[in-house]
Amino acid sequence: MTQLASGRAPWSIRRRVVLGVVALVALLGVLIGTVSVLALRQNLLQRLDAQVQEVMHFVSSGGPGGMLPGGNDSLRGGLVVAVAADGATPWGYVSTGPGSQLALTAEQIDQVLAAPAGPVTTVSISGLGSYRVQLRAASNGEYAVGLSTAEVDTTTWTLVGIFALVTAGALLLAAAGAVALTRVALRPLGRVTETATRVTELQLASGDVAIPERVPPAEADPRTEVGQVGAALNRMLGHVESALVARQQSEEKVRRFVADASHELRTPLASIRGYAELTRRIDDELPADAIRSLDRIESESIRMTALVEDLLELARLDEGQGLVFGEVELVRLVTDAVGDAYVAAPDHEWEVVAPEPPLVIAGDAARLHQVIVNLLANAHRHTPEGTAVTVTVAEEGDEVVLTVADDGPGIDPGLQPILFERFARGDTSRTRGTDSSGRAPVTGSTGLGLAIVAAVVEAHHGTIGVASEPGDTRFTVRLPRRRAAHPGGDDLAD
Ligand SMILES: Nc1ncnc2c1ncn2[C@@H]1O[C@H](COP(=O)(O)OP(=O)(O)O)[C@@H](O)[C@H]1O
Ligand SMILES: [Mg+2]
């Protein structure tokens, strides 16, 4: 039994039942034994007393003379007789067999005569043991008869021994029976536990939310106690399953909604931008204020377009589709992207460290390109001019490792834990809207760039990590070279 909490381990049901049954049987054994032994002893003593009285009757009808040694054969077997005739020395004997007897000592006679006259009482005689004695006072003296209780005592003790043995046997039997019964009774509980354990091993956080596990019907019959537990567990599993399905459906709906909304927003955004551009062309007739407003409309619609595109992209990645796997030559992909970055941001220093091409991996070329572009854009946009950016590609066993490092000011430590979450971004004033010259940036900061990077890397079964301190910010992407096993077969496209 595993001890979960500190302190003494609690008693198991089996232990409690076994000990309880054993204690009960022991108590019953002692009770029944005591009552029976006492009743039997009482009965035997009564019979003995009757015999004593019978002997007394016989003795008194014959007078003291009838008690003389050898006087009566029926008085044998431990019979004691003592007489104290007036003035005479008391005498007495104990019969030891037919026609044979032993004279009593003066001390033994005194002990017999000390008994009260009338009722039969127990007298302990030194050297002879316990006797039931009746004393009678008559005109010619006192006489007493008695019978030994030895036989009654022996019978009593034999009975005690028999009861003790029977009780001990019953205890063993009860213990064994209780162990076997609890084992059988608790077995279904084990099966309920097994079901619960299998449920905890299910992946319920993502993907298919069905819970196929149920407690088998034999252990879910509410007419038994364990069945009630099993049935309750089954009801709970059904409840959790339907709740999970409902949640998944509503999540699905939200995702669909975001995807549809993003899609629908593209056309009006393009129109806004087009009309703003068109209006600006006739700038001769427009006041300077209006031209500035038009610039803002254009730049904001560009930013919003980027936002909508990113949202759409994330919605597609969330749905788990849209990835077109093929063979990707990574070194070429990286060199081209860095070349583009150099053209877009000549004020940064760009460097590529990569092995000789080709370095081919399985993946979606357009998405991987986006990963590199997003990381390079961050290294450009969130660092000052003159920052050196180094992109490294390396092979490590079955993986390729892509690193984008810069010696810029680093990422705010408060931001790092949520860096890959949606809309997580740093100092917005610097990256949002226009820069000091009033010119809008080519693409706006959305806080979605790294979320997309993380989603794409995850869809490739890779990992991404970041380490950042002032002067050294490093994003590390690990991708498997071969496509991870996927249901639906190999859909490598060329
Ligand atoms: N190389 C970097 N140097 C400094 N800060 C960075 C770097 N890369 C990312 N960040 C920070 O992480 C935030 C999130 O990046 P991202 O998800 O790409 O959003 P966006 O670039 O649209 O702001 C950025 O707003 C920026 O504050
Ligand atoms: Mg970005």
Side-chain angles (χ1 to χ4, degrees):
M1 169 165 199
T2 40
Q3 193 175 335
L4 295 177
S6 59
R8 234 185 47 198
W11 281 17
S12 65
I13 288 185
R14 178 175 306 164
R15 198 168 166 191
R16 280 185 229 193
V17 169
V18 170
L19 286 182
V21 167
V22 165
L24 205 66
V25 170
L27 194 74
L28 282 178
V30 168
L31 207 71
I32 293 175
T34 311
V35 170
S36 312
V37 167
L38 285 181
L40 184 91
R41 185 179 167 81
Q42 191 60 33
N43 189 278
L44 290 178
L45 284 179
Q46 267 168 10
R47 274 204 231 169
L48 194 67
D49 289 358
Q51 270 176 277
V52 170
Q53 276 160 345
E54 212 176 284
V55 173
M56 176 55 92
H57 181 70
F58 173 80
V59 164
S60 34
S61 59
M67 297 191 289
L68 288 171
N72 196 297
D73 223 25
S74 74
L75 304 182
R76 65 192 167 82
L79 170 68
V80 175
V81 182
V83 175
D86 284 335
T89 332
W91 58 268
Y93 66 87
V94 56
S95 159
T96 52
S100 76
Q101 57 271 312
L102 219 66
L104 295 179
T105 63
E107 187 201 357
Q108 287 172 331
I109 290 170
D110 282 347
Q111 281 169 344
V112 173
L113 293 182
V120 183
T121 51
T122 303
V123 173
S124 174
I125 304 169
S126 45
L128 290 177
S130 191
Y131 277 75
R132 291 292 283 175
V133 170
Q134 188 172 28
L135 183 76
R136 176 171 287 183
S139 51
N140 54 349
E142 286 180 309
Y143 37 109
V145 295
L147 285 173
S148 168
T149 59
E151 237 171 83
V152 173
D153 290 343
T154 311
T155 312
T156 308
W157 284 115
T158 308
L159 200 66
V160 169
I162 288 172
F163 266 109
L165 274 179
V166 169
T167 306
L171 283 182
L172 281 181
L173 214 66
V179 167
L181 272 180
T182 45
R183 181 167 299 155
V184 171
L186 292 180
R187 198 171 294 151
L189 203 60
R191 283 193 281 268
V192 174
T193 311
E194 275 166 27
T195 305
T197 311
R198 281 199 299 278
V199 172
T200 59
E201 282 158 5
L202 291 176
Q203 296 279 330
L204 295 175
S206 59
D208 200 3
V209 294
I211 305 178
E213 295 292 347
R214 285 292 184 280
V215 176
E219 274 80 49
D221 186 339
R223 285 172 300 181
T224 67
E225 290 84 347
V226 173
Q228 282 166 15
V229 175
L233 188 70
N234 278 353
R235 275 199 303 280
M236 190 192 83
L237 288 177
H239 180 70
V240 168
E241 186 176 40
S242 53
L244 281 176
V245 167
R247 240 161 211 272
Q248 197 198 24
Q249 280 170 352
S250 79
E251 259 173 38
E252 196 55 46
K253 263 189 213 157
V254 171
R255 209 174 284 153
R256 271 261 69 102
F257 173 75
V258 172
D260 291 348
S262 313
H263 192 77
E264 292 301 319
L265 281 170
R266 286 160 125 187
T267 321
L269 275 172
S271 300
I272 292 172
R273 208 167 131 194
Y275 280 112
E277 234 177 273
L278 196 70
T279 317
R280 202 157 45 107
R281 294 230 181 98
I282 45 172
D283 60 354
D284 291 351
E285 296 147 45
L286 287 174
D289 276 358
I291 290 173
R292 239 192 327 276
S293 299
L294 282 174
D295 272 351
R296 294 288 295 130
I297 291 174
E298 252 184 283
S299 66
E300 284 300 291
S301 63
I302 287 172
R303 206 173 81 79
M304 196 160 165
T305 306
L307 188 66
V308 162
E309 292 297 338
D310 282 355
L311 280 176
L312 196 57
E313 180 67 19
L314 273 173
R316 283 202 206 105
L317 286 165
D318 278 349
E319 274 172 18
Q321 359 160 310
L323 230 60
V324 184
F325 269 84
E327 294 193 342
V328 184
E329 210 289 274
L330 201 64
V331 176
R332 181 72 189 281
L333 200 73
V334 169
T335 334
D336 286 354
V338 175
D340 293 348
Y342 175 73
V343 173
D347 44 16
H348 281 55
E349 290 170 28
W350 301 92
E351 194 192 342
V352 178
V353 181
E356 279 295 309
L359 173 52
V360 180
I361 69 165
D364 182 327
R367 255 59 181 260
L368 289 178
H369 180 253
Q370 199 174 3
V371 165
I372 300 161
V373 165
N374 283 8
L375 291 176
L376 294 181
N378 282 351
H380 160 216
R381 191 181 305 129
H382 304 298
T383 58
E385 286 177 11
T387 301
V389 183
T390 311
V391 185
T392 317
V393 181
E395 295 175 77
E396 270 184 27
D398 267 357
E399 287 181 330
V400 289
V401 182
L402 171 78
T403 319
V404 178
D406 67 66
D407 60 359
I411 303 169
D412 176 10
L415 185 65
Q416 287 188 28
I418 54 158
L419 197 62
F420 297 103
E421 283 176 19
R422 286 155 203 208
F423 298 112
R425 51 185 175 186
D427 177 13
T428 47
S429 62
R430 187 162 56 88
T431 54
R432 210 171 174 179
T434 53
D435 58 21
S436 51
S437 66
R439 176 177 57 89
V442 181
T443 53
S445 167
T446 60
L448 293 176
L450 287 177
I452 291 176
V453 168
V456 172
V457 170
E458 196 191 324
H460 282 83
H461 299 282
T463 58
I464 181 162
V466 63
S468 176
E469 56 186 59
D472 184 21
T473 298
R474 194 173 293 268
F475 285 90
T476 309
V477 176
R478 292 174 174 273
L479 295 168
R481 291 193 64 163
R482 267 177 285 280
R483 193 179 173 190
H486 224 271
D490 198 348
D491 59 345
L492 280 189
D494 47 321

